[in-house]
């Protein structure tokens, strides 16, 4: 792994270690698995609605670190006086079409109009469940800095974000938000592309977010790789790691971690508290919608990991806390 920049070959970005991204050669076995699958991929009960009390944002978090889970990897992070939104997705579906594709289990708990003033928006990569055209268009014409991986900015510009408000980062690059919040792009093991063409022509990243008091890690999408320890050695310890636990499958083990490897990544990163993300919002894999969090609870107990699992929409100060919100829908 290198923190000095991602490597490319013939115009395609490369992962830090050899990776099988589960491409076209896996389509037949993947379809067979979905066809024979009996798991509860989509909740039988209607989830939510969740509603954010936006008046909470009028007062800063007592601890200096508060997070509102919008859903999936969309997080509103209040850290040491800064307000940062990650991978905002407000649309009903994560697809090239508004008529088919994975549909969200519950509506966003607050409207885009009700968001508090933002200091930055982070876009980790260009997949539909992390980069949503209609959501980005809401920010067109606004003076909010966007921080994204290399070449993702072309999408943002096309949808109305002014170029001078976009900062693209290579792995190892950093940018300041205000005078005392530093954001560093770090490696991840994943892939990119929004269609059949253009695969891996834009970069994918994880991010270190360091305020004057708190230091946190937004993992976005990644399979397990030894680089987590290198990131932890270089930038840790972390007060909080936000790591994906859902959308794993046996045919693509290299690009999504699942709860076991995510908890291993947390330990490798030298994290104090772990927040599971990327689960319970969309049907993106053959596992039951609640399986990732239920498995994580077991792994966390076995590995002595403290968890932070707030209810969607609830602005929650970061401390050991498991809301158990999903259990009422089982």
């Amino acid at each position: 792994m290198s923190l000095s920049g991602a490597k490319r070959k013939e115009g395609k970005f490369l992962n830090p270690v050899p990776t099988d991204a589960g491409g076209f050669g896996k389509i037949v076995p993947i379809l067979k698995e979905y066809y024979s699958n009996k798991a509860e991929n989509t909740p039988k009960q209607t989830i939510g609605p969740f509603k954010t009390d936006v008046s909470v944002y009028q007062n800063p978090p007592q601890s200096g670190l508060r997070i509102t889970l919008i859903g999936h990897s969309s997080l509103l992070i209040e850290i040491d006086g800064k307000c940062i939104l990650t991978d905002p997705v407000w649309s009903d579906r994560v697809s090239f079409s508004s008529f088919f594709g994975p549909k969200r289990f519950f509506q966003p708990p607050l409207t885009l109009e009700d968001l508090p003033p933002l200091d930055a928006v982070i876009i980790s990569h260009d997949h539909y469940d992390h980069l949503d055209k209609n959501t980005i268009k809401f920010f067109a014409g606004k003076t909010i800095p966007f921080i994204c991986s290399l070449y993702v900015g072309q999408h943002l510009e096309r949808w109305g974000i002014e170029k001078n408000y976009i900062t693209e980062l290579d792995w190892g690059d950093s940018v300041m938000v205000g005078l005392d919040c530093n954001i560093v792009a770090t490696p991840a093991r994943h892939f990119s592309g929004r269609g059949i063409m253009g695969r891996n022509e834009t970069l994918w990243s994880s991010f270190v977010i360091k305020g004057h008091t708190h230091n946190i890690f937004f993992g976005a999408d990644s399979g397990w790789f030894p680089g987590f320890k290198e990131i932890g050695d270089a930038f840790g310890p972390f007060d909080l790691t936000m790591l994906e636990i859902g959308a794993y499958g046996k045919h693509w083990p290299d690009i999504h971690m699942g709860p076991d490897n995510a908890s291993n990544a947390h330990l490798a990163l030298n994290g104090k508290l772990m927040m599971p993300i990327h689960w319970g919002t969309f049907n993106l894999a053959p596992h039951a919608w609640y399986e990732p969090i239920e498995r994580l609870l077991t792994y966390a107990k076995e590995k002595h990991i403290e968890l932070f699992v707030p209810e969607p929409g609830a602005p929650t100060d970061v401390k050991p806390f498991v809301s158990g919100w999903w259990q009422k829908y089982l």
Side-chain angles (χ1 to χ4, degrees):
M1 187 198 81
S2 172
L3 289 173
S4 60
K7 292 181 171 58
R8 284 203 294 172
K9 183 178 181 181
E10 299 176 353
K12 307 283 190 181
F13 283 102
L14 302 176
N15 268 298
V17 296
T19 297
D20 178 356
F24 294 118
K26 299 285 183 70
I27 287 179
V28 171
I30 287 172
L31 289 176
K32 284 183 177 178
E33 184 177 16
Y34 269 98
Y35 182 76
S36 61
N37 180 43
K38 298 282 195 297
E40 188 183 332
N41 311 112
T42 299
K44 294 177 181 177
Q45 299 184 53
T46 300
I47 291 182
F50 303 102
K51 184 68 176 175
T52 300
D53 179 2
V54 296
S55 68
V56 173
Y57 300 126
Q58 296 173 11
N59 299 303
Q62 281 191 327
S63 66
L65 183 60
R66 182 167 63 197
I67 291 182
T68 308
L69 171 64
I70 308 301
H72 202 54
S73 298
S74 302
L75 311 170
L76 184 64
I77 301 170
E78 298 169 88
I79 177 171
D80 300 337
K82 298 293 185 290
C83 191
I84 298 169
L85 184 63
T86 65
D87 290 352
V89 175
W90 258 254
S91 291
D92 278 343
R93 297 184 187 273
V94 285
S95 169
F96 60 87
S97 170
S98 60
F99 299 103
F100 56 87
K103 187 176 182 179
R104 62 187 318 130
F105 301 157
F106 57 87
Q107 290 302 303
L110 76 166
T111 65
L112 287 165
E113 290 81 4
D114 282 338
L115 284 169
L118 299 174
D119 294 287
V121 177
I122 292 175
I123 306 291
S124 64
H125 64 297
D126 68 3
H127 284 157
Y128 287 95
D129 58 323
H130 295 260
L131 177 59
D132 177 37
K133 177 180 179 180
N134 289 333
T135 302
I136 298 302
K137 282 187 169 183
F138 169 82
F139 295 105
K142 296 179 170 59
T143 58
I144 300 170
F146 274 73
I147 299 164
C148 62
S149 303
L150 280 180
Y151 301 132
V152 174
Q154 61 189 320
H155 299 299
L156 305 178
E157 281 188 69
R158 193 162 60 249
W159 301 333
I161 306 302
E162 293 186 26
K163 188 172 185 177
N164 59 325
Y165 286 109
I166 300 171
T167 301
E168 294 187 343
L169 301 180
D170 195 356
W171 295 342
D173 289 347
S174 64
V175 62
M176 294 297 294
V177 176
L179 299 176
D180 56 5
C181 181
N182 189 36
I183 296 180
V184 185
T186 46
R189 188 186 188 191
H190 200 55
F191 69 109
S192 67
R194 293 174 70 81
I196 296 174
M197 307 299 290
R199 195 173 172 99
N200 294 346
E201 292 179 2
T202 63
L203 188 58
W204 50 95
S205 304
S206 56
F207 293 87
V208 174
I209 306 171
K210 186 174 178 60
H212 58 68
T213 301
H214 294 93
N215 186 33
I216 62 178
F217 180 78
F218 174 60
D221 278 7
S222 180
W224 164 263
F225 72 117
F228 285 116
K229 184 178 187 308
E230 296 179 48
I231 294 169
D233 289 344
F235 299 103
F238 293 104
D239 299 296
L240 179 72
T241 66
M242 296 161 280
L243 297 167
E244 55 122 279
I245 65 167
Y248 52 88
K250 66 181 181 180
H251 296 296
W252 58 92
D254 289 357
I255 55 172
H256 286 296
M257 288 190 285
D260 190 8
N261 275 329
S263 56
N264 291 337
H266 168 80
L267 295 173
L269 287 161
N270 196 9
K272 299 175 184 176
L273 197 58
M274 176 183 171
M275 179 182 182
I277 60 174
H278 203 270
W279 70 278
T281 313
F282 299 104
N283 173 11
L284 300 172
H287 59 68
W289 70 273
Y290 54 84
E291 181 183 288
I293 188 63
E294 292 286 311
R295 286 189 172 182
L296 180 65
L297 294 179
T298 300
Y299 289 125
K301 187 174 182 180
E302 292 173 355
K303 301 173 188 181
H304 308 290
I305 294 171
E306 291 191 299
L307 299 177
F308 173 66
V309 191
E311 179 177 302
T316 307
D317 279 61
V318 173
K319 59 185 178 181
F321 172 63
V322 178
S323 64
W325 66 264
W326 65 94
Q327 292 170 342
K328 69 179 75 172
Y329 302 105
L330 299 182

